[in-house]
Amino acid sequence: MTFTNRFAPSPTGPLHLGHAYSAMIAHDMARAENGVFLLRIEDIDQSRARPEWEAQIYDDLRWLGIGWDGTILRQSDNLPAYGRALDELWDRGLIYPCTCNRKDILAAVSAPQEGALLVGPDGVVYPGTCRNRTPLPRHTTPRPDNTALRLDLGQTQFARKEFDHRITPDKPHDRLAVSFMETGSGPDCQTGQIDVYLHDMQHGIGDVVLARKDMGTSYHLSVVLDDAAQGITHVVRGQDLFDATAIHVLLQRLLDLPTPIYHHHRLIRDDAGKRLAKRDDARAISKYRAEGATPNDIRQMVGLHPVQ
């Protein structure tokens, strides 16, 4: 099997040092393995995607010395595949419509009987308001359009073949888990084989959105289908996405897709220890270029060896 990884930026702002670090690590790994390095443009949020930012991505990557193989996959061209996956999950009764907005969710979790507010990969853990409003079985009607759809983690427990069965001394009864191989590390130094139990996912992640009202898909669903479509064997990305990996592996099992090997790397932070974001234009690659920096200067800034 050919080593294949990818870099998948969103054209919603300039590439900054954190993006460059992730792209260079993935590119270096692929070239060291005589493998394939692919580029994907994650533009499902058409309200924020801009062609000028996409053009800047290509220009910055080439300047950094990063070349990609094959054609570029643009998510906006892959919407039919996302719809087919949602149809399958709907027909199996594994997703449900949700009309809650962020204000509704915060109000629900702030109620005294809900207990402490929990935050997961998608923000505040959804309390299941619309799940409890939507009677079973749900799949007897057509999948609704123009509405958010959430994965019902409680219903996935009945698809036991999708899970690995693991017993640990402290979890003798919570046997259902999804597992993946980590060659980097999570924020708490997690590495090697990672087992994530369904019980923990239900409480720490919740019913994540698989389709947003204005997109017809979501990051979680799209990234899983895109990785499979591109034949990705190794996913290289930041530790901020480590907790989301359990969602992605579960979706891979539900949709009968292969699970790549994951490599989560450290994040590039500012002097105050805050993770860089696209709003940090002062660290945009284009600004360093304009100030006369070289690609090896960028590599040195993020702690990578220069290219000879």
Side-chain angles (χ1 to χ4, degrees):
M1 183 180 296
T2 302
F3 182 106
T4 305
N5 65 11
R6 44 68 169 181
F7 178 58
S10 299
T12 57
L15 294 186
H16 54 61
L17 284 177
H19 295 122
Y21 179 65
S22 191
M24 289 187 291
I25 286 180
H27 181 263
D28 290 355
M29 289 176 66
R31 296 300 178 240
E33 296 289 339
N34 292 317
V36 175
F37 176 77
L38 300 175
L39 180 61
R40 179 161 77 227
I41 299 298
E42 297 194 338
D43 62 344
I44 55 174
D45 188 352
Q46 287 288 293
S47 67
R48 298 175 58 219
R50 298 289 183 271
E52 59 268 26
W53 289 127
E54 184 174 334
Q56 185 69 55
I57 287 171
Y58 303 147
D59 194 34
D60 284 342
L61 291 177
R62 292 188 182 102
W63 178 79
L64 287 167
I66 295 175
W68 51 91
D69 304 305
T71 59
I72 298 170
L73 175 65
R74 187 176 287 101
Q75 286 185 329
S76 57
D77 295 333
N78 209 25
L79 293 176
Y82 309 146
R84 290 191 294 271
L86 289 169
D87 286 338
E88 177 181 343
L89 295 172
W90 178 264
D91 290 344
R92 294 170 63 186
L94 297 178
I95 56 178
Y96 62 88
C98 178
T99 59
C100 296
N101 57 34
R102 291 182 181 179
K103 184 177 180 180
D104 296 331
I105 296 171
L106 286 173
V109 299
S110 299
Q113 68 273 17
E114 292 294 339
L117 183 147
L118 297 175
V119 178
D122 270 359
V124 176
V125 174
Y126 183 64
T129 306
C130 287
R131 180 204 326 124
N132 299 330
R133 291 174 179 169
T134 309
L136 294 170
R138 307 184 187 110
H139 61 281
T140 56
T141 58
R143 175 169 66 89
D145 293 325
N146 198 32
T147 189
L149 296 168
R150 290 183 178 273
L151 176 66
D152 190 337
L153 281 173
Q155 286 301 301
T156 62
Q157 67 181 306
F158 300 111
R160 287 179 176 260
K161 69 181 182 64
E162 319 295 354
F163 293 87
D164 302 306
H165 293 257
R166 306 204 182 279
I167 301 175
T168 61
D170 60 327
K171 295 179 181 294
H173 304 297
D174 301 327
R175 297 181 56 201
L176 298 182
V178 291
S179 304
F180 62 93
M181 184 57 63
E182 172 66 48
T183 61
S185 73
D188 297 321
C189 300
Q190 306 96 316
T191 193
Q193 180 173 294
I194 307 295
D195 298 333
V196 186
Y197 290 83
L198 177 61
H199 177 270
D200 294 336
M201 292 178 66
Q202 289 173 311
H203 289 83
I205 295 176
D207 294 352
V208 296
V209 173
L210 295 190
R212 300 190 181 279
K213 180 179 179 180
D214 54 345
M215 296 181 192
T217 185
S218 71
Y219 167 74
H220 297 305
L221 182 68
S222 297
V223 73
V224 165
L225 293 172
D226 295 342
D227 283 342
Q230 291 190 295
I232 301 301
T233 64
H234 293 69
V235 172
V236 179
R237 59 191 186 187
Q239 289 178 341
D240 54 319
L241 290 168
F242 180 83
D243 289 340
T245 304
I247 303 168
H248 301 166
V249 175
L250 175 57
L251 287 172
Q252 289 155 4
R253 302 296 174 82
L254 293 173
L255 296 169
D256 195 24
L257 301 174
T259 295
I261 293 171
Y262 287 87
H263 183 98
H264 292 88
H265 57 70
R266 65 180 176 88
L267 302 177
I268 302 300
R269 300 182 181 275
D270 62 19
D271 294 338
K274 186 177 180 181
R275 177 173 65 90
L276 297 187
K278 287 189 175 179
R279 59 182 173 271
D280 297 301
D281 285 356
R283 294 169 179 81
I285 300 305
S286 57
K287 290 196 174 184
Y288 286 110
R289 293 176 59 183
E291 293 169 359
T294 68
N296 275 338
D297 290 334
I298 301 298
R299 294 182 69 91
Q300 184 176 13
M301 288 177 194
V302 297
L304 295 176
H305 293 297
V307 174
Q308 302 300 325

